[in-house]
């Protein structure tokens, strides 16, 4: 791996050097020429060039990415919540009592205004009802079915079509330069793992996320794992450095997020020795995607933005820095 | 990676085919010709040969190994417990009260007979006192110092010299055949991660183990993770399938253990679809290593052995199946 990846990697850097940065056909083609693109390419070159003062050996090249709002869209609701609502609908025939009970009543009615106000308790009730009581394998199948068929209400496309082309290019470039790429998301680990390899090139074991308790038991004589309606770990905010330590065991040198829930991951990344890259995606494009920040209940970017400005972290202005947002926009 | 590893892998199989199995210089040279060696080579060939009915695509090639008693020696006490006792001694000047308080008194006196009877509560007290109250980085440094200097009471060698040469060869062969190798151990994850890459070729993020709660905080203005005196996860017995699901997210097709604590990992592995390999190391060599099974308080092999016999899992007789046990025996 090392040798082949190194050759690919050297080729990529070689090309970046030979062409002016504005020749976007070469590396990170969907990134417009600007400070974020320059900062990323500069960082990658500094930490991977033998002899550079900032050189990082391959095992230290850990890159972590938030998922919702960083690798794919998170509006008008987190996609996993859309999945949960669809599961409520699918399971409703077995739960006649849901018709008259909140938050299920609103979920069944598709009453997004009411659902927006259900709070954490209501949200956990919906997650518990739809994400437990089955084996891990059975849950994986429901995710696979949904992700292959459900469509986004505005774009009328599969949710996995709504990933960010510039971030796909960035992750591919990092891997070519022998980085190991991880997802570190507040979303459910078992909601992401079934499709991250296919969509992002990230295998299940490189996905860190929130999780519920899982119980080992024999079911019909077969050893299996059953999902229980109990939260085990919330991989958000200060939980992100904890999750990184638990799953990866090394401090990242490169981290990308988009909201206040990513602040501690970026701080923790910044706190290590040697060269570091911290990035935030700022959603500024209401036409091609969505525009939101300090006031948004979903993906709020407020404190982390202030810290990014103060500490000179890279803030991507989606509208001006990304020439293409979704893969389907490419001609 | 895939291409280069495939070439190496094909070469390995090619050699295995060209030479009689007794030509031990070729693959698994430290394994004597016998049923376990045959079963391993046969399994690897079946699941990695294109066109074979048992072929497994690369992403499914997950192999999990217990650590204590499977990859390195675990007698006369778990090596991590030897580390903890040494830490009690090192920390004693800051804890004058330990002189008169069990289990610390016995630890300081090196009274192994008393320590053997301290039970789980006493053990947890020693672990809590020596494995918490510092940053993850500081703990890593104490592990690195100890592992580089402490010596085993019988062999007078570094503990990392007491790894099993046949298992090193097996893990290298699996990796050459595009398996991803993981440790799944009841031992502490942060006790293993500092040295598993160097000794086993397994990076920190492929180590699954028991863990304590870790808290994110700022210390002297720097973001860091502090170890708390509270158990978070016990990766033993039924905890092993749970840990595998949490960290790896896929059911292994190959698993090796040595004690009753590995029974559920092997059952869980066996319970998947398609070809599987389940192996146990039976410690039968009191001269070169240790001999123990059903009655041993450490690494007891009783129920898992019965199940292995009943289900025709591979049981390695260390005395007769391993031509070499430790790397230092090689001429």
């Amino acid at each position: 791996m090392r040798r082949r990846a190194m050759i690919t990697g050297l080729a990529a850097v070689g090309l970046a050097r030979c062409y002016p940065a504005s020749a976007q056909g070469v590396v990170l083609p969907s990134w417009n020429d600007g400070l974020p693109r320059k900062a990323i390419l500069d960082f990658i070159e500094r930490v991977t060039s033998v002899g550079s003062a900032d050189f990082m050996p391959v095992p230290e090249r850990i890159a972590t990415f938030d998922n919702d709002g960083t690798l794919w869209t998170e509006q008008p609701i987190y996609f996993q919540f859309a999945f949960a609502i669809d599961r409520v609908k699918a399971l409703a025939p077995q739960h006649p009592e849901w018709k008259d009970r909140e938050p299920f009543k609103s979920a069944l009615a598709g009453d997004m205004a009411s659902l927006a106000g259900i709070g954490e308790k209501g949200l956990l009730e919906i997650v518990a009802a739809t994400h437990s009581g089955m084996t891990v394998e059975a849950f994986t199948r429901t995710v696979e079915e949904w992700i292959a068929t459900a469509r986004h209400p505005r774009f009328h496309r599969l949710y996995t079509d709504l990933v960010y082309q510039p971030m796909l290019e960035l992750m591919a470039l990092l891997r070519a330069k022998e980085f190991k790429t991880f997802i570190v998301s507040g979303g459910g680990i078992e909601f992401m793992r079934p499709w991250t390899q296919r969509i992002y090139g990230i295998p299940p074991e490189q996905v860190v996320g929130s999780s519920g308790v899982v119980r080992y038991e024999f079911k019909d004589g077969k050893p299996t794992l059953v999902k229980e309606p109990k939260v085990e770990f919330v991989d958000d905010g200060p939980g992100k450095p904890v999750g990184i330590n638990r799953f990866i065991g090394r401090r990242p040198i490169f981290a990308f997020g988009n909201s206040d829930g990513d602040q501690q991951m970026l701080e923790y990344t910044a706190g290590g020795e040697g060269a570091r890259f911290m990035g935030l995606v700022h959603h500024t494009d209401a036409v091609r995607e969505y525009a939101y920040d300090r006031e948004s209940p979903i993906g709020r970017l407020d404190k982390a933005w202030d810290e990014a400005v103060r500490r000179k972290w890279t803030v991507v202005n989606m509208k001006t820095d990304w020439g293409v947002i979704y893969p389907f926009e490419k001609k």
Side-chain angles (χ1 to χ4, degrees), chain A:
Chain A
M1 176 184 76
R2 194 167 293 192
R3 198 169 140 213
R4 189 168 156 245
M6 198 178 289
I7 291 163
T8 323
L10 288 173
V13 158
L15 289 169
R17 281 197 194 121
C18 295
Y19 288 83
S22 59
Q24 289 160 26
V26 184
V27 278
L28 303 183
S30 299
W31 291 73
N32 290 329
D33 192 19
L35 287 178
R37 185 175 183 278
K38 278 198 184 72
I40 290 167
L41 291 178
D42 172 64
F43 174 81
I44 294 176
E45 184 162 338
R46 282 191 292 125
V47 299
T48 61
S49 301
V50 178
S52 156
D54 292 324
F55 180 77
M56 285 282 183
V58 170
E60 298 299 322
R61 297 183 198 164
I62 302 291
T64 57
F65 290 84
D66 169 58
N67 185 39
D68 298 308
T70 300
L71 297 181
W72 72 354
T73 291
E74 61 185 347
Q75 299 284 0
I77 54 173
Y78 292 124
F79 294 176
Q80 188 175 0
F81 192 42
F83 164 75
I85 292 171
D86 284 351
R87 291 304 301 156
V88 167
K89 291 174 184 166
L91 295 168
Q94 297 152 51
H95 296 274
E97 75 280 9
W98 284 356
K99 275 203 304 270
D100 308 305
R101 225 187 94 204
E102 291 294 0
F104 302 100
K105 192 177 161 187
S106 297
L108 289 171
D111 179 351
M112 298 314 293
S114 294
L115 283 175
I118 60 174
E120 201 184 323
K121 189 174 159 288
L123 188 68
L124 283 177
E125 251 191 290
I126 286 184
V127 169
T130 56
H131 286 61
S132 68
M134 74 287 281
T135 65
V136 167
E137 272 104 345
F139 181 74
T140 296
R141 282 193 298 274
T142 67
V143 172
E144 283 168 344
E145 282 167 27
W146 185 83
I147 213 85
T149 55
R151 299 213 165 230
H152 187 273
R154 173 177 158 194
F155 294 100
H156 309 293
R157 288 185 173 268
L158 297 181
Y159 286 97
T160 47
D161 287 346
L162 303 176
V163 299
Y164 303 136
Q165 176 64 25
M167 298 306 265
L168 297 182
E169 294 167 7
L170 172 56
M171 291 193 289
L173 176 62
L174 287 167
R175 290 191 290 262
K177 302 292 288 179
E178 298 186 88
F179 278 74
K180 213 162 179 175
T181 52
F182 291 83
I183 291 173
V184 178
S185 167
I189 197 165
E190 288 171 345
F191 175 71
M192 296 181 281
R193 280 177 164 168
W195 49 268
T196 54
Q197 175 69 59
R198 180 169 58 86
I199 302 296
Y200 298 137
I202 294 182
E205 63 272 20
Q206 287 165 225
V207 177
V208 180
S210 297
S211 55
V213 170
V214 157
R215 189 180 70 249
Y216 179 70
E217 68 169 43
F218 278 78
K219 213 168 171 157
D220 307 324
K222 288 191 71 171
T224 191
L225 293 166
V226 176
K227 287 170 70 62
E228 299 202 329
K230 198 178 158 196
V231 172
E232 175 190 80
F233 180 60
V234 178
D235 188 52
D236 197 33
K240 289 207 175 190
V242 171
I244 288 169
N245 181 62
R246 178 188 292 183
F247 282 79
I248 309 176
R250 284 194 269 234
R251 202 187 282 246
I253 65 167
F254 186 107
F256 234 112
N258 78 299
S259 77
D260 286 358
D262 301 311
Q263 185 173 358
Q264 288 83 359
M265 174 169 77
L266 300 191
E267 281 172 0
Y268 180 62
T269 301
E273 303 282 323
R276 305 280 142 167
F277 181 93
M278 284 65 62
L280 281 170
V281 176
H282 184 195
H283 294 262
T284 51
D285 195 329
V287 176
R288 293 186 299 168
E289 205 241 10
Y290 293 91
Y292 57 97
D293 42 54
R294 293 192 198 276
E295 304 300 327
S296 176
I298 290 167
R300 174 170 306 187
L301 178 62
D302 182 28
K303 289 180 188 170
W305 190 7
D306 292 339
E307 190 173 0
V309 171
R310 195 167 59 243
R311 303 182 63 178
K312 299 189 176 29
W313 295 345
T314 296
V315 180
V316 173
N317 181 328
M318 190 179 252
K319 190 170 179 175
T320 57
D321 289 321
W322 286 359
V324 165
I325 291 181
Y326 297 127
F328 59 78
E329 295 169 19
K330 285 190 300 181
K331 279 140 212 138

